[in-house]
Amino acid sequence: MKLQATLIGFTAIVMWSFLALFTAASGKMPPFQLSAVAFAIGSLPGLVTFALRPERLALLKQPAKVWIVGIAGLFGYHFLYFTALRNAPAVEAGLIAYLWPLLIVVGSALLPGERLRWYHVVGAFAGLAGTILIIGKNGIAFDPAFAFGYGAALLCAFTWSGYSLLTRRFEAVSTDVVTGFCLATSLLSLVCHLGLEDTVWPASNGEWLAVAGLGLFPVGAAFYAWDHGVKNGDIQILGAASYAAPLLSTLILLLTGFGEPSFRIALACVLITGGALLAASEMFRSKGRVPSA
């Protein structure tokens, strides 16, 4: 059961790896507008479920703290991420924001029933090193002039890791509530768009398909899968394995002709894959262990 939930959580990481491709193919829609549209699309599977099984609407009745954590997690993360990118170079801001998998692994020690082992931490650091190789391919230079943007990126990392860890404490809450989180995030993103951006719609059918794909998978189904995974699976393995998202994203871009292979990417592959396997080593040992008579 735990392994199955962990694998479901990993599908979220796979779907997030398509984020860069779908975003690049979606045209010039500004980020908050894209977020508003994508999260509205992402809520559709849940809305269809409620239409077919209206009795599940009762599952949306949750304590205020559940809604605060969920909306702060989804909307807060994206708001801080876009703020970071507007106020700091994308490479440095992206690297700081991608501290969240490491924070999940380390923070899991605070969760009831979880034990933080050395291989969880080493695996997460290996994944971080691989991510640095991918994102920081042209060098990294932190400039104090961009301190505000860096601060937003750091808050971004703490927001998503905090959301993931707190979600684990709400394991009795149905994943159906993610539909409400998506709708609220869409609405708040729309408010930000109307106040901060000019409206730009996709210029072709291909761009509309990319927006739809973005909403259905990386900004839709992925959040439902992640919710199930962190509540019922191995959150430490999921944290370390999350560094596979930028690697898979890079490989997808290579396969679709948007990049070129290199030794740097191969080394990143070894670090990220090896780190994830190291973090999951206890699960592999337990599966291979023969029960005593």
Side-chain angles (χ1 to χ4, degrees), residues 125-153:
F125 270 110
L128 177 60
T131 301
I132 291 173
L133 283 175
I134 292 174
I135 300 179
K137 60 182 178 180
N138 295 319
I140 305 169
F142 290 99
D143 187 337
F146 301 113
F148 179 76
Y150 298 153

Side-chain angles (χ1 to χ4, degrees), residues 4-268:
Q4 182 184 24
T6 303
L7 292 174
I8 291 173
F10 187 74
T11 65
I13 299 170
V14 175
M15 285 185 275
W16 285 331
S17 68
F18 284 87
L19 184 64
L21 179 63
F22 283 139
T23 301
S26 65
K28 298 182 178 180
M29 189 182 294
F32 281 115
Q33 181 188 358
L34 184 59
S35 179
V37 174
F39 273 104
I41 295 172
S43 69
L44 292 179
L47 294 176
V48 170
T49 299
F50 292 145
L52 296 176
R53 301 180 62 183
E55 69 275 9
R56 298 191 71 86
L57 282 168
L59 297 173
L60 294 178
K61 188 178 181 180
Q62 300 293 339
K65 61 183 179 181
V66 172
W67 286 98
I68 292 172
V69 168
I71 296 172
L74 268 66
F75 174 72
Y77 171 83
H78 289 85
F79 178 83
L80 289 166
Y81 184 71
F82 295 151
T83 300
L85 292 185
R86 286 173 180 268
N87 293 277
V91 170
E92 287 78 8
L95 283 175
I96 294 173
Y98 234 92
L99 288 172
W100 65 261
L102 179 62
L103 292 174
I104 287 177
V105 173
V106 175
S108 66
L110 301 175
L111 294 175
E114 296 292 345
R115 294 182 299 173
L116 184 62
R117 303 294 194 181
W118 67 267
Y119 44 80
H120 293 136
V121 178
V122 173
F125 270 110
L128 177 60
T131 301
I132 291 173
L133 283 175
I134 292 174
I135 300 179
K137 60 182 178 180
N138 295 319
I140 305 169
F142 290 99
D143 187 337
F146 301 113
F148 179 76
Y150 298 153
L154 185 60
L155 286 175
C156 177
F158 275 101
T159 296
W160 188 252
S161 59
Y163 163 75
S164 300
L165 292 168
L166 288 171
T167 294
R168 179 59 171 254
R169 302 183 71 91
F170 299 146
E171 56 185 337
V173 176
S174 171
T175 295
D176 290 88
V177 77
V178 174
T179 300
F181 299 162
C182 287
L183 285 172
T185 300
S186 175
L187 179 60
L188 290 171
S189 296
L190 176 61
V191 171
C192 289
H193 163 65
L194 294 175
L196 300 171
E197 300 171 335
D198 295 324
T199 300
V200 179
W201 294 107
S204 67
N205 290 335
E207 291 182 0
W208 273 113
L209 285 174
V211 172
L214 188 68
L216 289 173
F217 299 107
V219 187
F223 290 110
Y224 297 89
W226 185 252
D227 183 86
H228 181 79
V230 297
K231 284 178 178 175
N232 304 288
D234 192 312
I235 194 170
Q236 292 159 335
I237 292 176
L238 286 173
S242 294
Y243 282 116
L247 172 63
L248 292 173
S249 179
T250 300
L251 295 177
I252 290 168
L253 292 174
L254 290 176
L255 291 174
T256 52
F258 286 94
E260 297 181 0
S262 67
F263 174 75
R264 172 182 49 78
I265 294 175
L267 180 57

